[in-house]
Amino acid sequence: MTNKYIYFVANWKMFGNLKSLNSLNKVISFLKKFKKNKIKLIYCPPATLLKPLSDKIKTTKIKVGAQNCHENENYGANTGQINSSMLKSVGAKYVILGHSENRHLGEDDNLINLKIKNSIKSGLKIIFCIGESYSQRRKKITKKILLHQISRGLRQIKNKKNIIIAYEPIWAIGSGLIPKDTEIFNIIKFIKKKVKGSKVLYGGSVNTKNINVLKKIDNVDGFLVGGASQNSNNFIDIIKKTFN
Ligand code: PGA
């Protein structure tokens, strides 16, 4: 697992204010000592912190990502919305799309597909989230669900080189539960077979303890970390343990 780039994506969700950015100082100095390892570190703060965060990490290897965007890449009369070109203009290089917390609010595969297409046009890289619910897992239809999300979400997108897939079982998010390592391995294998050449991250309750198991999954390209990324010590610990 150490001879390829490993992604660590911090998804801060609706947490954090200007003061929270001070916690990045630790991560920045940690990174300086951690130069030899191949890591891609992406911070996805709330939209209010995109600009100050990109200013802060300008001279570091950290990249900035947004947590969602409107489907139209042009300006429009859409109160409260932000589009992908606006995100790009404040320093975002990535955008998380298809997160289950937004699917839950009514985003469907077609809308997500449109968001992905237009965000790519704006020059952003995509962290495309897919995952099954607990009842779908119990019905053993996980692969069917994932395939559905992949084929609809990535419809008519020929060049997928700017798309990273994050496998996030809905029931694992924020619950402290994770699938068995062999299950994650098999699902990632399945996703990589369906989307040739794709990088696949695992997300859902990644923490300083279970990372010791997760890091051993051969085909995982990194981790999408929610709760544990809000505390710099924990996040650094997760990164360190991955390479130990
Ligand atoms: P969690 O969130 O690590 O807090 O489970 C992950 C996510 O929702 O991306």
Side-chain angles (χ1 to χ4, degrees), residues 65-80:
Q67 297 175 13
N68 201 359
C69 68
H70 190 266
E71 62 272 24
N72 190 342
E73 86 271 29
N74 299 312
Y75 289 151
N78 297 296
T79 305

Side-chain angles (χ1 to χ4, degrees), residues 132 137 167 171 179-188:
E132 82 286 3
R137 172 184 154 90
Y167 169 53
W171 54 273
K180 283 199 200 108
D181 49 350
T182 49
E183 277 177 64
I184 299 176
F185 178 85
N186 284 330
I187 294 291
I188 292 179

